[in-house]
Amino acid sequence: RAKWHEVEPEEGLYDWSMFDSVIEHAAAYGKKVMLRVLPGVHAPQWVYDAGATQFEFVDENPYHPTYGQTLHTPVPWDPVYLSKWLALVDAFGERYGRNQAVVIVSVTGPAFGGEMHLAAKNDADNWHDAGYSNSVLIDAWQQTIDAYRAAFPRTHLTVAIATPVNFDSPMDVVGAVIEYCSLRKVGIQGNWLAAKTPPTFRLYQEVATYSGAPVGFQMLCSAAQGRFGGTLYTAVDRSLEANASFLELYKIDFTRYPEDVAYAHDELTLE
């Protein structure tokens, strides 16, 4: 994954070197690649200089390296932001849409980062002042999904579902995005899976019952962390119960829990 300002430091001037080197290295070993460009707080300054409206907030997530810092992100439905982001998506697809080593591309855009979360999820007043409504956010996601599907017509796509805010019926947004993903043959995944994830968790159920493209998960964190709530083996089993076809695991867990990783590999690659 790479940040937007890294791959497009100046408008229309792209630096794909990091992705290129990873793809080349993976291909040399017969491996496949999933790509993700991170938008939102990683937007380059020229996007704001072009007139995109910014939303300022304090990062309250203690697991972020920017915890406690004042950050800014483009308003996700701002037309300037969307136009610049969708132009990046088009160039992204032009570069990798026919690359056989790239098997999954993550759909990102109207969010804080690589998932559906908005910044400052509890800040209803400021988001409403910025024009928030469920409908404008849903529309931004639909435009983004369409752009990715056009840019990557042959590649498996996936949206990392999450509740975008903690007000105004956010599951209505999630439900509408999932429905649109199904229409556009886009997969979904949960980037919050852990041993402690209960089968009754609403977002887990959405992944488990999704009838569209293949589904998958990213682990919440390394299985060594207390907040994981158990073993990697347990989380892998939970993913299999939801018919996952791919998993994103943290690199450190490959050395810490090789037997659990081997179990995941064997189960996910069964004919």
Side-chain angles (χ1 to χ4, degrees), residues 70-144:
T70 298
L71 305 176
H72 55 269
T73 183
V75 171
W77 47 88
D78 179 87
V80 174
Y81 170 68
L82 276 177
S83 69
K84 305 301 184 185
W85 177 251
L86 300 187
L88 178 277
V89 172
D90 184 64
F92 193 22
E94 183 67 26
R95 184 75 174 187
Y96 300 111
R98 295 173 180 82
N99 192 310
Q100 294 184 354
V102 178
V103 295
I104 306 176
V105 172
S106 181
V107 177
T108 57
F112 173 92
E115 300 152 7
M116 287 182 66
H117 302 287
L118 293 190
K121 294 176 65 167
N122 294 313
D123 195 352
D125 290 342
N126 282 324
W127 274 120
H128 285 143
D129 288 345
Y132 178 89
S133 70
N134 286 356
S135 62
V136 297
L137 185 55
I138 291 168
D139 180 69
W141 272 106
Q142 290 176 344
Q143 290 186 57
T144 302

Side-chain angles (χ1 to χ4, degrees), residues 12-269:
L13 297 177
Y14 302 103
D15 181 358
W16 303 113
S17 58
M18 189 275 280
F19 281 157
D20 287 346
S21 64
V22 169
I23 292 169
E24 180 180 1
H25 187 69
Y29 289 88
K31 302 297 183 180
K32 304 299 183 181
V33 178
M34 177 181 187
L35 300 181
R36 179 184 284 118
V37 178
L38 300 176
V41 291
H42 307 294
Q45 180 57 43
W46 59 259
V47 174
Y48 301 109
D49 295 340
T53 304
Q54 72 177 29
F55 182 91
E56 189 173 280
F57 66 100
V58 175
D59 188 356
E60 297 179 346
N61 190 326
Y63 299 105
H64 288 168
T66 54
Y67 174 57
Q69 297 179 25
T70 298
L71 305 176
H72 55 269
T73 183
V75 171
W77 47 88
D78 179 87
V80 174
Y81 170 68
L82 276 177
S83 69
K84 305 301 184 185
W85 177 251
L86 300 187
L88 178 277
V89 172
D90 184 64
F92 193 22
E94 183 67 26
R95 184 75 174 187
Y96 300 111
R98 295 173 180 82
N99 192 310
Q100 294 184 354
V102 178
V103 295
I104 306 176
V105 172
S106 181
V107 177
T108 57
F112 173 92
E115 300 152 7
M116 287 182 66
H117 302 287
L118 293 190
K121 294 176 65 167
N122 294 313
D123 195 352
D125 290 342
N126 282 324
W127 274 120
H128 285 143
D129 288 345
Y132 178 89
S133 70
N134 286 356
S135 62
V136 297
L137 185 55
I138 291 168
D139 180 69
W141 272 106
Q142 290 176 344
Q143 290 186 57
T144 302
I145 290 168
D146 284 343
Y148 270 90
R149 179 44 73 209
F152 293 93
R154 302 173 186 85
T155 308
H156 174 57
L157 301 174
T158 182
V159 172
I161 62 170
T163 51
V165 293
N166 294 328
F167 53 86
D168 289 8
S169 305
M171 282 305 300
D172 290 348
V173 177
V174 177
V177 170
I178 291 174
E179 182 178 3
Y180 202 72
C181 284
S182 181
L183 290 173
R184 303 296 280 128
K185 295 181 171 56
V186 172
I188 62 173
Q189 68 180 84
N191 288 6
W192 29 254
L193 188 67
K196 66 181 181 181
T197 304
T200 55
F201 180 45
R202 176 73 179 277
L203 293 177
Y204 174 85
Q205 291 179 334
E206 293 288 353
V207 176
T209 59
Y210 188 62
S211 58
V215 299
F217 294 95
Q218 179 189 105
M219 295 300 162
L220 172 68
C221 58
S222 167
Q225 294 188 28
R227 62 187 179 122
F228 197 75
T231 66
L232 182 59
Y233 190 99
T234 299
V236 170
D237 265 349
R238 188 57 42 82
S239 77
L240 298 173
E241 291 164 5
N243 301 310
S245 60
F246 67 92
L247 290 176
E248 295 183 63
L249 308 180
Y250 280 80
K251 181 179 179 180
I252 193 170
D253 287 344
F254 280 75
T255 53
R256 284 180 170 171
Y257 311 108
E259 293 182 358
D260 294 358
V261 173
Y263 171 64
H265 175 269
D266 290 346
E267 292 296 317
L268 289 169
T269 55

